[in-house]
Amino acid sequence: MPRYEVTIEKDACDGVFACLTRDPRFVEDEDGLATIDPGADPVYDCEGELTETAERVVATFDDDRIDEARRAATACPTDAIVVDEVDE
């Protein structure tokens, strides 16, 4: 399975939340912006490493759901989300 990283640039996110309808791991944070909660998916038991700073949210996953993350990134009208495969 590919290991991949999902990054949300907070200053580019405007809270449209198109990503939430494409991948249930995307959720609204307390500031009204998108963030990632690996445990938010009601169907899949998902684990991921999450790092959050004032500038960005970065989550790393090693499951087979990279296409869902890519759909969420494509749906973002401000291009605030980037999905990259990473080396082991």
Side-chain angles (χ1 to χ4, degrees), residues 44-64:
Y44 296 99
D45 184 20
C46 183
E47 293 183 17
E49 299 170 24
L50 185 70
T51 304
E52 188 166 357
T53 66
E55 294 82 28
R56 69 189 49 88
V57 177
V58 179
T60 306
F61 298 99
D62 60 358
D63 55 33
D64 61 354

Side-chain angles (χ1 to χ4, degrees), residues 16-27 41 44 65-77 81:
V16 172
F17 302 122
C19 55
L20 276 64
T21 63
R22 288 5 182 247
D23 186 332
R25 296 173 290 183
F26 288 83
V27 296
D41 191 325
Y44 296 99
R65 299 178 64 199
I66 190 170
D67 288 337
E68 288 177 60
R70 286 181 175 149
R71 282 192 292 275
T74 300
C76 180
I81 303 168

